[in-house]
Amino acid sequence: MTDLAFHLLLFLFVAAFIAGFIDSIAGGGGMITIPAMLIAGIPPLETLGTNKLQSLFGSGSASIAYARHGHVNLKDQLPMALMSAAGSVFGALIATVVPADALKGVLPFLLIAIAVYFGCKPNIGDVEKHRRMSAFLFTLTFVPLIGLYDGIFGPGTGSFFMLGFVSLAGYGILKATAHTKFLNFGSNLGAFLVFVLYGVVLWKVGLMMGAGQFLGAQFGSRYAMAKGAKIIKPLLVVVSIALAIRLLADPAHPLRIWLGL
């Protein structure tokens, strides 16, 4: 692929900045960066590979910001991040040989369910609740499962991690957001390594967008820490619904094909 014109690189930088801001708070940044890269004329497979590169900067930036303010201990969370990365490696390998239509079909409804859960549960805030699953079991089961999903398909990964941390690990919503980012970094890294091996990463584009992601995530994480559940909870609901709508709006979505729409 030939080099992109400067105005397209600038467009992608701005898209990545906005995505980094939103993703550091509620996830869902991929619903901005992936369409932006496709609009810029980047082929689908290169879009997926390059998206993982630039996402590393956003999730890494947010992880550092939350860690600096004491909301997550990255050293303690490293085993979870490694399990997330391992799951993502297997997911990305599966994605190279198995179509993701089944996931694509059910995902919008899972995202709507997440939005309903967070929107209708009034007691979700910054205070931690009762843990339903031990940290060891959570690390061995839920974390690699979501990492696997991120490697295969990806959209909504942050929302699924958030749901697990709040409903299973009993975290308050700000703490859950902080811990989600490092696991997202792990799953991005695992899938990225697979895409590098397949030679489908556009380095110039990915690094340019990565700079935008890094800056956007710094602003977004600081905003989330200042506002807490007041901003994280509604934005998570909005992002989940918006992502579900965007997936259902795709003419190639299995449900639309089945209904003949």
Side-chain angles (χ1 to χ4, degrees):
M1 180 179 175
T2 57
D3 287 343
L4 294 178
F6 175 76
H7 70 279
L8 288 177
L9 287 174
L10 182 60
F11 163 69
L12 292 175
F13 176 86
V14 173
F17 178 89
I18 297 171
F21 183 91
I22 293 174
D23 202 59
S24 66
I25 301 173
M31 75 175 181
I32 297 173
T33 54
I34 289 178
M37 282 188 274
L38 293 173
I39 289 171
I42 299 175
L45 191 56
E46 281 78 2
T47 289
L48 292 177
T50 306
N51 186 61
K52 289 303 179 187
L53 170 59
Q54 61 94 37
S55 294
L56 282 171
F57 288 85
S59 55
S61 174
S63 297
I64 293 169
Y66 285 120
R68 282 178 175 171
H69 288 81
H71 295 289
V72 59
N73 185 313
L74 299 184
K75 184 178 179 180
D76 290 346
Q77 206 195 7
L78 185 58
M80 280 191 187
L82 292 175
M83 291 300 293
S84 180
S88 183
V89 167
F90 284 106
L93 290 171
I94 292 171
T96 63
V97 294
V98 178
D101 282 352
L103 281 171
K104 194 175 181 182
V106 73
L107 179 60
F109 304 102
L110 293 177
L111 288 167
I112 291 171
I114 288 174
V116 170
Y117 176 83
F118 280 99
C120 297
K121 203 166 173 61
N123 61 341
I124 294 179
D126 291 327
V127 180
E128 293 190 46
K129 303 294 182 180
H130 175 68
R131 177 187 290 273
R132 293 184 174 88
M133 182 181 287
S134 70
F136 180 75
L137 186 60
F138 187 79
T139 302
L140 285 185
T141 57
F142 185 82
V143 171
L145 180 64
I146 302 303
L148 180 79
Y149 163 75
D150 193 23
I152 296 174
F153 196 54
T157 297
S159 299
F160 292 128
F161 274 135
M162 283 281 290
L163 180 65
F165 275 121
V166 171
S167 62
L168 298 177
Y171 286 12
I173 200 163
L174 178 57
K175 184 178 178 180
T177 300
H179 283 68
T180 290
K181 296 308 119 188
F182 197 39
L183 297 195
N184 237 157
F185 179 82
S187 63
N188 285 333
L189 180 61
F192 167 70
L193 294 175
V194 173
F195 285 125
V196 168
L197 292 176
Y198 277 84
V200 293
V201 176
L202 303 179
W203 291 92
K204 180 179 178 180
V205 175
L207 292 173
M208 172 69 77
M209 294 182 72
Q213 276 269 3
F214 186 91
L215 293 173
Q218 286 291 308
F219 281 99
S221 55
R222 282 165 170 73
Y223 188 66
M225 285 184 280
K227 299 295 183 180
K230 289 190 297 183
I231 184 63
I232 298 172
K233 182 177 173 180
L235 190 56
L236 180 62
V237 171
V238 170
V239 167
S240 296
I241 292 175
L243 184 52
I245 292 172
R246 189 180 77 77
L247 291 168
L248 288 171
D250 183 358
H253 189 274
L255 180 63
R256 294 191 61 175
I257 294 174
W258 182 64
L259 293 175
L261 299 175

